[in-house]
Amino acid sequence: MRYAVLSDIHSNLVALEAVLADLADQPIDRYLCLGDIVGYGARPNQCCDVIRELGAMSVRGNHDEAAVDVIKAEWFTAPARACILWTAEQLRDDNVEMLRSLPPVEVVDDRVTICHGSIPDPDHYTVSPADALISLAVMSTSIAFFGHTHYSEWFIGSDDGRLPSEHPTPAGGRLRTGNGHLYLVNPGAVGQPRDGNELASYAVYDDEAGEVTIRRVSYDIAKTAQQMKDAGLPEAMYARLWLGV
Ligand code: ZN
């Protein structure tokens, strides 16, 4: 089975289409989405439509939750909250229903689990080995994917009581799994990378080869920025796309 794993699309349709074009010549059996389909960007309905058309199994991100229940955006920064309020006005009823129905965590099959921030808590930022342990300690599969930080990296569980090892992969990379270890993998963000690399990021997991590949894909950032500008979204939210922060 080959899984394509997409996270933090954030209504960036141009980046999402670039990732799908990169996937076009790769055989994929199953699409997985780690949440934050919407928020920040200017094409929320189109991104929801693409995820639905792919038949992707998806979990709920904090922006997906806030877009259908804006009180949850109370703790967001002012520009992020402005994007959520705009998104809530734009979303069609069927997409509101779709986002509302997303679960916080999903055990995809006997090999793979997906979540947004961590397995116990979609809002938790997994940024350190101690954070990773929170998910590694409760996962029932040998590999789990998470997003939320927009930072591509993986953690490998230790079997001798030490903290997991952390492996940032901002330029992409290849992870060999197996050997009885547990793996926690962040494929990076499709729509708003924050790991210093402005290219869209996603992962492919081939469970027969036991291999995760993280790929970075260039897209037309100026086009996404223009769409956001035209929608009246805050400049800070598209200026950062060129910087990958
Ligand atoms: Zn996000």
Side-chain angles (χ1 to χ4, degrees), residues 59 82 107 131 145 148 167 173 189 198 210-211 230 238:
V59 291
V107 179
D131 292 314
F145 291 91
H148 193 39
H167 307 269
E198 75 281 11
E211 200 167 79
D230 291 346
Y238 52 87

Side-chain angles (χ1 to χ4, degrees), residues 8 10 36 40 62-63 116 148 150:
D8 295 281
H10 282 295
D36 280 3
Y40 297 133
N62 53 316
H63 286 254
H116 187 59
H148 193 39
H150 301 202

Side-chain angles (χ1 to χ4, degrees), residues 30-209:
R30 187 154 218 185
Y31 285 86
L32 304 176
C33 174
L34 311 182
D36 280 3
I37 300 166
V38 302
Y40 297 133
R43 293 293 183 272
N45 284 309
Q46 294 88 336
C47 288
C48 289
D49 292 346
V50 169
I51 289 300
R52 186 188 298 107
E53 284 156 16
L54 289 171
M57 181 179 278
S58 183
V59 291
R60 177 181 74 222
N62 53 316
H63 286 254
D64 304 321
E65 184 179 35
V68 297
D69 187 5
V70 293
I71 196 82
K72 299 271 170 55
E74 202 175 330
W75 305 106
F76 284 30
T77 63
R81 191 165 56 245
C83 294
I84 284 295
L85 295 175
W86 181 87
T87 300
E89 282 176 13
Q90 303 295 317
L91 281 173
R92 297 193 319 260
D93 289 349
D94 58 335
N95 287 330
V96 169
E97 271 316 299
M98 171 191 156
L99 294 175
R100 220 188 272 286
S101 70
L102 297 176
V105 59
E106 191 80 73
V107 179
V108 176
D109 51 29
D110 58 359
R111 298 191 176 193
V112 181
T113 301
I114 57 175
C115 62
H116 187 59
S118 74
I119 291 177
D121 180 3
D123 290 341
H124 185 83
Y125 286 93
T126 299
V127 295
S128 71
D131 292 314
L133 199 53
I134 293 169
S135 291
L136 289 163
V138 297
M139 48 197 270
S140 60
T141 57
S142 59
I143 187 163
F145 291 91
F146 73 101
H148 193 39
T149 63
H150 301 202
Y151 191 98
S152 148
E153 64 177 335
W154 56 64
F155 296 89
I156 304 175
S158 164
D159 48 16
D160 59 5
R162 288 178 302 161
L163 284 171
S165 58
E166 181 175 14
H167 307 269
T169 50
R174 193 160 288 184
L175 168 67
R176 297 284 311 175
T177 65
N179 311 317
H181 290 294
L182 298 180
Y183 299 89
L184 187 62
V185 181
N186 188 331
V190 170
Q192 196 205 75
R194 293 178 189 162
D195 49 14
N197 182 345
E198 75 281 11
L199 305 181
S201 191
Y202 76 97
V204 171
Y205 173 46
D206 183 330
D207 69 349
E208 274 153 43

